[in-house]
Amino acid sequence: MNTCNPQRPNTLYLVSCLIRCALLLLLTFSLSAAPLAAQTDRTETRATAERLLNEGRQMLKEGSKESLQQAIQKFELAQRLFHALNDSSREASTLLSMGVTYISFSETQKALYCFNQALPLFRAVGDRDGEAVTLSNVGRAYDDLGELRQALDYYFQALPLSRDLGERGGEARILNNIGKAYSALYEKQKALDFYQQALTLRRAVDDRRGEAVTLNNIAGVYAYLGDQQRALDYYNQALSLRLAVRDRGGEATTLSNIGLVYGDLGEQQKALDYYNQALPLFRAVGDHDGEAVIFNNIGAAYDHLGEHQKALDYYGQALSLRRAIGDRRGEAVTLNNVGRAYDNQGENQKALDYYNQSLPLSRAVGDRGGEAGTLGNIATIERKLGKFNDALAHVEAAIAILESLRTEIGSQELRSSFFATVQGNYEFYVDLLMRLHKQQPAANYDGKALHASERARARSLLELLTEAGADIRQGVDSKLVERERALQQQLNASARRRVQLLSGPHTDAQAAASGNEIENLRTELQQVETQIRQTSPRYAALTQ
């Protein structure tokens, strides 16, 4: 009899089923867990990036060399993480902070690279505030590089953005920076206009630290223009505020500037007192630029006191610091001062060597006032060495620059003050022409001397008239006024070309042609100025 038994399952088949089930369960679990793990990773990455960014910003605030280096490392890591997260907004913010840190290091090109990466990111995400701040910082970087016109271009892009956003504090900073750039370009009236706008805003938002900065800047303009009492008034206002907000670096800057004013007034011991108060403050905050300024100023004070070797010692310390931090404008100033110290010691050739080192630096950074001063100093040495023709070329170039700078001062009062500070250049010029006349009686140098003397006297009269509120160009044909301005610019450029020509290999014919070009321009300018006076209703009324 057959027995009906159930069929036993195949063992291999059972194992296979179990494996398939296990794999299916594992796959299902993996698919459900993957997004969760990815989300966890992104959250952790973001938290790490934010932590690095915040730590970097804290180190930036500390401001020491070591903390700034650490800040850069933090920002670099944070920027990579935000980039990996495709978070353009936070990446832009990180790049901005990194650029500001590089500015603190005086690594301006690296700062510009960071700002230029940040700018399109801020624009892409519609962050107008970030865009405004970045544009302003790009302007600041170009300012540090001495490219002042380019700096102004970025400041003027940032300004309307800050106004539209209602960021009055940011607007005040931009206005102050615009004033600073115009001041460096020797457009002093424009500088004062923007400083006054910045001052009004800073007082409105109770930004006492910023108010002190702007007061200090206004004082600097008045000091440059020879109004020392007004300069002291503004500096003392700035000093009171800086003491109130415990701004030790700003306090040091203002003390140094007050010392400069007393130095200009001939009170050198009083100037040294202020410098010696400022020096330990600069050292305490690690401000090497400020320290270099103080060394330079102390050197100038000792030079005026007749202690020339002590002056050279301080200038040497200033020069080392300024070269170390890449301050080309400051280096040009100190080199010029070293030249003057050697000049005062009677070491003419050494003086000339240092002046010739200073001149190309002043030109490279666009410091026209510094360039004019150094050209005048070179001419002084060349006159002592009997190189009258070379001295003539240099003093003519200096006068052309100074005349150009004077025409850019809008205020009649300030224009008069500025002219009074450079009157000595005309006296030197006339003296030099008369010396050349003694050497070459038939060359008409005496006629040129008379012309220069009368022109300086006429300029003094015109400045007195304008100081009295008489704009003699009012009512004059605008084409005539524009021609005057164009001729002055041509004369400036021609004088500079003559200096460059005579500084290198040249023929007598080239030198003569260059001199004739300048003389023809000067004659035409005098004719135009005469026409302006003759056709000016105001001038006629005043002289009558």
Side-chain angles (χ1 to χ4, degrees), residues 13 90 104 153 182 217 236 283 322 338 341 375 496 501:
Y13 173 78
R90 301 305 285 161
S104 301
D153 179 53
Y182 275 127
N217 292 343
N236 283 319
R283 284 175 169 163
R322 283 177 156 168
V338 172
L375 284 167
R496 179 171 291 186
L501 172 69

Side-chain angles (χ1 to χ4, degrees), residues 332 336 354-356 358-359 362 369-379 394 398:
N336 185 72
Y354 278 95
Y355 290 147
N356 283 323
S358 174
L359 187 61
S362 292
E371 179 185 354
T374 303
L375 284 167
N377 290 338
I378 289 172
H394 286 112

Side-chain angles (χ1 to χ4, degrees), residues 161-453:
L161 284 173
S162 289
R163 283 176 174 161
D164 290 345
L165 292 164
E167 291 286 343
R168 293 198 294 173
E171 182 184 349
R173 282 191 296 275
I174 295 168
L175 287 166
N176 183 80
N177 289 341
I178 291 172
K180 183 182 173 187
Y182 275 127
S183 184
L185 287 165
Y186 294 93
E187 298 184 42
K188 300 297 182 179
Q189 185 57 51
K190 284 185 179 179
L192 283 174
D193 292 343
F194 281 98
Y195 284 148
Q196 290 293 349
Q197 293 179 58
L199 187 62
T200 300
L201 278 176
R202 284 180 153 166
R203 285 172 172 167
V205 299
D206 195 29
D207 178 9
R208 292 194 296 167
R209 186 181 292 263
E211 181 184 349
V213 169
T214 303
L215 286 166
N216 187 83
N217 292 343
I218 292 171
V221 173
Y222 284 120
Y224 172 79
L225 294 169
D227 193 340
Q228 306 300 343
Q229 188 53 58
R230 198 178 297 186
L232 280 175
D233 291 342
Y234 277 98
Y235 279 139
N236 283 319
Q237 290 180 58
L239 186 59
S240 296
L241 282 172
R242 284 176 155 166
L243 288 167
V245 299
R246 297 182 181 179
D247 178 5
R248 299 180 76 196
E251 179 188 348
T253 298
T254 304
L255 287 167
S256 172
N257 290 334
I258 292 173
L260 277 175
V261 174
Y262 281 115
D264 289 340
L265 292 170
E267 299 184 45
Q268 302 303 334
Q269 286 297 344
K270 201 165 188 178
L272 283 170
D273 289 342
Y274 279 96
Y275 298 148
N276 287 321
Q277 290 178 61
L279 185 57
L281 291 174
F282 278 128
R283 284 175 169 163
V285 297
D287 186 343
H288 297 306
D289 180 61
E291 192 177 348
V293 168
I294 291 296
F295 283 139
N296 181 80
N297 293 350
I298 291 175
Y302 279 121
D303 198 29
H304 280 98
L305 289 169
E307 299 185 47
H308 305 307
Q309 189 53 54
K310 192 176 282 190
L312 286 169
D313 292 341
Y314 277 100
Y315 286 147
Q317 294 179 69
L319 201 56
S320 296
L321 279 172
R322 283 177 156 168
R323 284 172 171 164
I325 61 179
D327 178 9
R328 293 192 298 165
R329 183 184 295 267
E331 183 182 351
V333 170
T334 302
L335 285 167
N336 185 72
N337 289 344
V338 172
R340 188 179 292 113
Y342 278 120
D343 184 1
N344 291 334
Q345 285 185 315
E347 299 187 50
N348 296 327
Q349 192 54 54
K350 278 188 178 180
L352 194 59
D353 290 344
Y354 278 95
Y355 290 147
N356 283 323
Q357 290 179 57
S358 174
L359 187 61
L361 283 174
S362 292
R363 286 173 174 164
V365 299
D367 183 357
R368 291 190 293 160
E371 179 185 354
T374 303
L375 284 167
N377 290 338
I378 289 172
T380 301
I381 296 296
E382 288 169 337
R383 184 177 67 177
K384 290 178 181 179
L385 296 173
K387 299 178 179 179
F388 293 159
N389 287 316
D390 290 343
L392 185 65
H394 286 112
V395 74
E396 285 177 342
I399 289 173
I401 292 171
L402 292 169
E403 282 288 341
S404 176
L405 293 176
R406 186 197 63 82
T407 60
E408 293 173 2
I409 301 172
S411 164
Q412 296 166 348
E413 178 187 359
L414 297 181
R415 206 159 51 228
S416 179
S417 298
F418 175 76
F419 183 74
T421 66
V422 298
Q423 184 70 19
N425 290 276
Y426 287 95
E427 296 170 1
F428 177 94
Y429 185 43
V430 170
D431 174 78
L432 188 60
L433 286 167
M434 292 309 297
R435 292 184 187 216
L436 282 164
H437 171 65
K438 288 181 180 178
Q439 288 185 346
Q440 306 172 53
N444 194 37
Y445 284 115
D446 56 341
K448 290 181 179 180
L450 178 62
H451 171 84
S453 177

Side-chain angles (χ1 to χ4, degrees), residues 1 25 64 107 113 209 258 279 313 434 442 464 499 536:
M1 183 174 90
L25 286 170
S64 68
E107 295 191 34
Y113 178 76
R209 186 181 292 263
I258 292 173
L279 185 57
D313 292 341
M434 292 309 297
L464 287 171
V499 170
S536 167

